Every structure is written in structure tokens, then in C-alpha cells.
């Protein structure tokens, strides 16, 4: 297994902000795309955002564009998700996932998730 | 509505072979390899296949195939511990997004 540990989930009011972190270890962090995937209560998996190995390319699901920012610090083997203007519908468990060396757009390892609750 | 289409539920008995399908289009499955993810009781997802490759630690009763715009996950010799939700996913170049199927609930009878 490849440890990925998320943190930063919390209860936040609508319109608020939160920053999620994901610490990777046991692999060469700079060699992999990294991704955030979320799962709302009782729902399926939903891709949120992905970032290229060197951080030069970033992609987002339409529903978070302009509100969320994915970033990484390769010196700290860490991935981040800055979430602004949070909405009730952003309530979910957020998973950090690592890509593969051979297949684009597929996650190989997952973290345990961190819970974000947006509620007044 | 998910970009990839999966059966809502599939069931099988212990020892049986079951196949889960994932249907997309030329922009996603028709162009990229597919990942399959297992989620037991809403725990963290686990990758059981990526393309035609088996991740370390995943039993070889799991296999995958892809043809045209459809991908399949086959479990040969179904075990009780295989009961879970299974999701397929791949990249979609027209959306510039990773897309998921809605998930298939596999029940082992």
C-alpha cells in the first residue's frame, strides 16, 4: 500500500472556506498526477480535480470551477484543495488519490478520506 | 447523470463468475483505459483493476477487458468478501475531466 493521508475536513458554514491537505509517502511524489474525488452522503464517487506532476496543468469538475483550487508542494510531498464559497452540496467525504505511471486518468491508490460538512 | 453507465445492481452466488459492465463513448472509454474501484460499506475506495493490470494484493479472480466504448470487470469464483459497490472511471478528452460511472452494487448470495 501507498499511504495517502488526508486532513482538514471540518464543519463549515455556507459561503465559508476550507483547505484540505493530503500527505503522500513511500513513493516518488513528483512522478504522479494527483486527484481529489468526493462522495456525498448516499451518493457515488465524483471526480473533483486533478493536477499534473509538476503542477503545470490543473483540471476541475464544472461545479467547483472558480471556487476550488488544487495545488501541490512537491518539496513536502503534499497535495492541497483550497475550497472557497462552499455550498451545502459540497458536503462529502473527500478522497486524495494517486495516479499510475502507465495509464492516464486512473487512480491507483486512495487515502482514507476526510469529511467536509457544509451546514448552517 | 453519470458520463459512464453501469448496472445499478448485480448478484451472484459464491463460486460463480459475474461480469460488470461500463458503457461510455468514443471520447472516454473509446480512447482511454479504464480503472475499476471497489468500495465496501462506504469505506475508502480500492483499485481492483487499472487497464488490464491487477494492483498488488488484488486476487487474480479479478480481470478486466475493454472493447470499443464498453469496459467490463469480471470476477471469477465469486467470494463473500467481494460484496461491494464497484465503480468504473476513465478520462474524457472532450470534457477534460475524469468521469465515473454511477456504480454497481454487487451482492453475493
Amino acid at each position: 500500500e501507498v499511504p495517502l493521508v488526508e486532513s482538514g475536513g471540518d464543519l463549515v458554514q455556507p459561503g465559508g472556506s476550507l483547505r484540505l491537505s493530503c500527505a503522500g509517502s513511500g513513493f516518488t511524489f513528483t512522478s504522479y498526477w494527483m486527484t481529489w474525488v468526493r462522495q456525498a452522503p448516499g451518493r457515488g464517487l465524483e471526480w473533483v480535480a486533478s493536477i499534473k506532476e509538476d503542477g503545470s496543468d490543473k483540471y476541475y469538475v464544472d461545479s467547483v470551477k472558480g471556487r476550488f483550487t488544487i495545488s501541490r508542494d512537491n518539496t513536502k510531498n503534499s497535495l492541497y484543495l483550497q475550497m472557497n464559497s462552499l455550498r451545502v452540496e459540497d458536503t462529502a467525504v473527500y478522497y486524495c488519490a494517486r495516479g499510475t505511471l502507465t495509464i492516464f486518468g486512473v487512480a491507483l491508490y486512495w487515502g482514507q478520506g476526510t469529511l467536509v460538512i457544509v451546514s448552517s | 447523470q453519470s458520463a459512464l453507465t453501469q448496472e445499478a445492481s448485480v448478484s451472484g452466488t459464491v463460486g460463480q463468475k459475474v461480469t460488470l459492465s461500463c458503457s461510455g463513448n468514443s471520447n472516454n472509454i473509446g480512447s482511454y483505459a479504464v480503472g475499476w474501484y471497489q468500495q465496501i460499506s462506504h469505506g475508502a475506495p480500492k483499485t481492483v483493476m487499472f487497464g488490464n493490470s491487477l494492483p498488488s494484493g488484488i486476487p487474480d479472480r479479478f480481470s478486466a477487458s475493454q472493447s470499443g466504448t464498453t469496459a467490463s470487470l469480471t470476477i471469477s469464483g465469486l467470494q463473500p468478501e467481494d460484496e461491494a459497490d464497484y465503480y468504473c472511471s476513465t478520462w474524457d478528452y472532450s470534457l477534460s475531466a475524469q468521469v465515473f460511472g454511477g456504480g454497481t452494487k454487487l451482492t453475493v448470495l
Side-chain angles (χ1 to χ4, degrees), chain A residues 27-48:
Chain A
F27 65 97
T28 305
F29 192 79
T30 53
S31 295
Y32 297 93
W33 279 72
M34 297 295 295
T35 292
W36 288 100
V37 174
R38 67 185 178 183
Q39 186 171 36
R43 305 294 296 274
L45 300 176
E46 179 187 32
W47 171 78
V48 176

Side-chain angles (χ1 to χ4, degrees), chain B:
Chain B
Q1 188 168 347
S2 303
L4 305 180
T5 301
Q6 299 183 250
E7 303 97 337
S9 62
V10 169
S11 62
T13 57
V14 173
Q16 190 178 8
K17 181 171 77 172
V18 294
T19 297
L20 283 58
S21 69
C22 175
S23 178
N25 60 40
S26 58
N27 298 326
N28 42 62
I29 295 179
S31 298
Y32 296 94
V34 172
W36 288 92
Y37 312 109
Q38 177 193 65
Q39 188 177 39
I40 297 174
S41 299
H42 287 282
K46 176 191 292 188
T47 302
V48 293
M49 292 295 301
F50 60 106
N52 295 323
S53 300
L54 203 61
S56 174
I58 301 300
D60 60 6
R61 62 177 180 273
F62 287 87
S63 64
S65 64
Q66 205 164 325
S67 178
T69 59
T70 300
S72 299
L73 176 71
T74 297
I75 308 174
S76 303
L78 198 60
Q79 296 299 307
E81 59 267 30
D82 298 332
E83 183 162 292
D85 292 324
Y86 289 85
Y87 296 88
C88 60
S89 178
T90 189
W91 187 258
D92 187 302
Y93 72 76
S94 70
L95 298 174
S96 291
Q98 186 171 340
V99 291
F100 278 87
T104 295
K105 182 177 180 60
L106 174 63
T107 302
V108 181
L109 302 171

